Structures are given as C-alpha cells and as structure tokens.
Amino acid sequence: IRSIVIIGGGLAGAHAAQALRERSYDGALTLLAAEQHPPYERPPLSKGILLGEATADSAVVHPLSWYDEQGIDLRCGVRAESIDREAREVLLAGGERLGYDRLLLAPGANPRRLRSLEVEGADVRYLRTLDDSVALKERLSGRLLIIGGGWIGLEVAAAARAAGGTVTVAVRGELPLVQVLGREVAEVFAGLHREHGVDLRTQVEVKAVRREGEVTIAELSDGSVLEVDTILVGIGAAPAIELAAAAGLPGTEGIEVDAALRTVDPRVCAAGDVALHDHPRLGRMRVDHWDAAIEQGKHVAGTLLGSEEPYERLPYFFTDQYDLGMEYVGHPGERACEEVRLLGDVPGRVFRAYWLRDGTVVAGMHVNDWDAIEEVRRLVGGDAADLPG
Ligand code: FAD
C-alpha cells in the first residue's frame, strides 16, 4: 500500500491518520478536511467553548506542526467532491485528482434542519462546527429558544443559563431524553434544568417562526407564542452518506461496513459518525459519539493495512450539564427494556442506572459517581443476576 486518502478531517480521520503512522505505515497519507480548522474535538463546542473554559486551540486533536512532522498532507478547507472507485481516485474542487490504494470515509454527520423555520431575518442556528460554537457563544445571554431536548440542546441550555440567558427548551416528547433513558432517569435531567431556571416545555412543537418588525416570534403547537432573539435547532444529525452513495457504496442510515469497518469495496473503509457497522455481539449499529469516532479511527487503521479484526467496543457516551456529569455504556437498541435498576441516591444525583432486557444488562450509566465507570463497563453485556443491590 503506497497511498491512503482520508476524507473527513474530524476525530475519526485524525485518529486513523495517527494510528496509521503508529502502525509504521510510511506511504503517502492525505487528510482532506472541508473545514478551515485542523481536526478538533466536538464535545467542547456545546460545553467548554460556550462556557469560556475551552478555546479553539485547546480543542484541536493535534497542532498543525504535528501533521508536518508525521508527513501527513493535511488539507484544510478542501472538500472531496466525488470518488471514482474504478480509477481509484478522489476528485477535488478545481479538478485535482488524488489517487489512492486505500480510502477512508470519515465525513461525520450534518445537523438535521428545520427549513420551514429558517425565516428571513430570524436568527435560526445549528451547532456542529467550531465556527457555529464560537458564533453561538455571543448569543447565549439573550432570549434563546432551543428546539429539541437531546444532549446538545440540553448542554447548550446549561451554558446559556450560566451566561445569564433566558432559556426555553421545547421538546416533542413527555420528557427530554425519555427515548434514550426511560422516564425515571429522564426526570432527573428535566428536574435539573428546571431547577436551573430553564423553561422546559414538553409535548410541544414549534409550528412557525415569524418576524414582526425587528422581533422574532415563535409559535408553539400549544397555542403559546414566544419572543426570542435566537433559535437553536438541536434535533439530531444525519450521517454524511452523499459521497459514498454517489460512488455506489450502499447504506441510507449510514455507510454500510462489515465488522472490520470495510465497505463492500475492500479498498474503502468508513469510520465514525458515518459508519453503520456490524457489531459482532450487538448487531448492526451506528454510534455517533466521541469515543466511537476515536476508537473506530484507530481500529480502521488496522483494517486499511489488511487486518480482519472486528471492532467490538461497546458504545460509550458522556455529558456534562451544570454540576452533573454522566457516563453511559451500552446499546439498548430499539426494543424497550423491561426494567431500569437504579442504585444510589437518585434525588441527590449520585447514582448508577442499569437497563435490563431478557435477563441481560444492555446498558449502564453513572451520574456523578466517578468511581463507577469500571463497574458499569464490567456489568454491561452480562447477566442481570450479577448486578449489585
Ligand atoms: P466529525 O467530527 O463530524 O468530522 C467529520 C469532518 O469531515 C467534518 O469536519 C466535515 O466538515 C468533514 N467532511 C465532511 N465531508 C467532507 C468532504 N467531502 N471532504 C472533506 N471533508 C469533509 N459525543 C460524546 O460522546 N460526548 C459529548 O459530549 C459530545 N458532544 C458533542 C457536542 C457537539 C456540539 C457535537 C456536534 C457532537 C458531540 N459529540 C459528543 C459527538 C462527537 O463529537 C462525534 O461523534 C464525533 O465528532 C464524530 O467524529 P467524526 O470524525 O465521525 O465526524
């Protein structure tokens, strides 16, 4: 193998590049990054950067000089336009063609949009990139309406309250995060935000946004109206499959890859938010979390160099909101769990939770119980009878 191209200068792409060099791959290595920034961490975008505790510089995975030292041709602000799999070339804007022996697709995901609300003159935003975060920071002390009570929406709500903003969060369901966490644990998050002064509106949708002179008005499905300065839409992200699809690589919910993260074309792999992979124990899944992007990036380096080893790591996720930190391990899948076992002090927000199905622990988390993560990792995937308490 003399030439590897990575499309996507994010976490997965950067860690794959690093792991390739660590595995002694010394051929040509090009990393195409559509954004102007070198690869960076996204978790601070909805936390540290908004809170003023992190900066663009502290969020980068490696300083620019590292790419030079490693002989990695990092091209910031350069987008791959298409892939010619027969010629084994990536086409760039301007007509340049980059040949490859192996290709990694790590283009991440794009926020799902609510175009009907993107009314002229209204400040309707999304949060995916460093530039989005830096711009959003300036808006946090005003009147903010957050549509969607997912992780990003709630983290931004916490940052905006810290900045003294007036925050309304509108969610469709009966509680934020209820689909992921179930009612009991979702209530902990709802209570946390209400205590911190967030106006949490449940079972509502934002039906329309209109401008009255210089004022932005949001109309909610319960008939209420809100005067707002900024609207942040946080309703999830869709995997960036377009390039792969145009190149004939299958997958609508993500680029389909096998257990080793290889597409149907053995020269082409995918990793990170975009990869819909076959987990040997848990089945087909796409994990859009920080840990998976890093670990799949490292793993796929081996696959690009010929390894057949499956990627077997359990999904892991963390969040920080106000003084609440939590870590979550597992993948409950679509089917409902029979029981959520709660251990510890739930009202005091120091506890562990385990989700049980068919006698198995399918997921576990801790809230503010920082010694518990090893126990959680050990128990997830095992027999429910082994749970303490
Ligand atoms: P990305 O990080 O999205 O990187 C992909 C890059 O590829 C992008 O920069 C994109 O511009 C570029 N690209 C796309 N197409 C092309 C092309 N054609 N040519 C060149 N470049 C291209 N996870 C957690 O576990 N905990 C958290 O607390 C957490 N917080 C988050 C907060 C925010 C605001 C966001 C957005 C995500 C958060 N995540 C968190 C999720 C985590 O950051 C992602 O799972 C991770 O960044 C995915 O990495 P990736 O490399 O697959 O994609």
Side-chain angles (χ1 to χ4, degrees), residues 7-13 32-35 40 42-43 45-47 78-80 106-109 127-128 152 155 243 271-274 288-291 293 316-319:
I7 298 178
L11 264 192
L32 300 173
E35 293 179 62
Y40 59 85
R42 285 178 209 274
L45 306 186
S46 48
K47 309 175 191 66
V78 175
R79 177 173 284 280
L127 176 54
R128 181 76 197 177
I152 290 178
E155 288 169 0
L243 264 190
D273 278 10
V274 83
D288 50 2
H289 298 328
W290 170 86
D291 175 81
Y316 162 91
F317 174 77
F318 68 94
T319 185

Side-chain angles (χ1 to χ4, degrees), residues 39-42 44-45 49 54-62 130:
Y40 59 85
E41 305 264 353
R42 285 178 209 274
L45 306 186
I49 290 200
T55 62
D57 284 345
S58 70
V60 298
V61 180
H62 302 291
L130 186 54

Side-chain angles (χ1 to χ4, degrees), residues 266-320:
R267 294 176 186 277
V268 184
C269 291
D273 278 10
V274 83
L276 184 65
H277 66 100
D278 274 328
H279 192 286
R281 281 171 293 141
L282 301 169
R284 184 144 277 211
M285 62 166 68
R286 187 176 74 80
V287 183
D288 50 2
H289 298 328
W290 170 86
D291 175 81
I294 294 173
E295 296 300 327
Q296 289 182 14
K298 291 182 190 168
H299 190 93
V300 82
T303 307
L304 289 163
L305 299 176
S307 161
E308 298 286 331
E309 213 180 298
Y311 176 78
E312 297 198 78
R313 195 172 163 84
L314 285 171
Y316 162 91
F317 174 77
F318 68 94
T319 185
D320 293 304

Side-chain angles (χ1 to χ4, degrees), residues 1 4 19-20 23-25 102 300-307:
I1 300 171
I4 298 179
L20 282 166
R23 286 172 177 265
S24 304
Y25 168 71
R102 295 288 181 275
V300 82
T303 307
L304 289 163
L305 299 176
S307 161

Side-chain angles (χ1 to χ4, degrees), residues 114 116-118 124 145-148 168-172 201 203-210 216-226 228 231-233 235:
L114 286 178
S116 64
L117 303 186
E118 292 174 16
V124 179
L145 168 61
I146 298 172
I147 301 178
T168 306
V169 176
V171 302
R172 261 194 187 157
R201 312 263 184 113
Q203 289 174 310
V204 288
E205 280 183 42
V206 177
K207 278 191 354 199
V209 171
R210 63 187 153 80
T216 300
I217 309 279
E219 295 175 12
L220 274 58
S221 55
D222 62 3
S224 58
V225 291
L226 284 174
V228 296
I231 298 173
L232 177 78
V233 181
I235 56 167

Side-chain angles (χ1 to χ4, degrees), residues 28-87:
L29 183 50
T30 307
L31 180 50
L32 300 173
E35 293 179 62
Q36 292 296 341
H37 309 281
Y40 59 85
E41 305 264 353
R42 285 178 209 274
L45 306 186
S46 48
K47 309 175 191 66
I49 290 200
L50 298 183
L51 291 163
E53 295 166 358
T55 62
D57 284 345
S58 70
V60 298
V61 180
H62 302 291
L64 270 177
S65 55
W66 179 86
Y67 295 91
D68 277 346
E69 284 155 26
Q70 296 292 320
I72 297 167
D73 182 12
L74 169 65
R75 306 217 195 161
C76 294
V78 175
R79 177 173 284 280
E81 296 292 335
S82 63
I83 302 160
D84 182 342
R85 288 201 288 129
E86 232 161 74

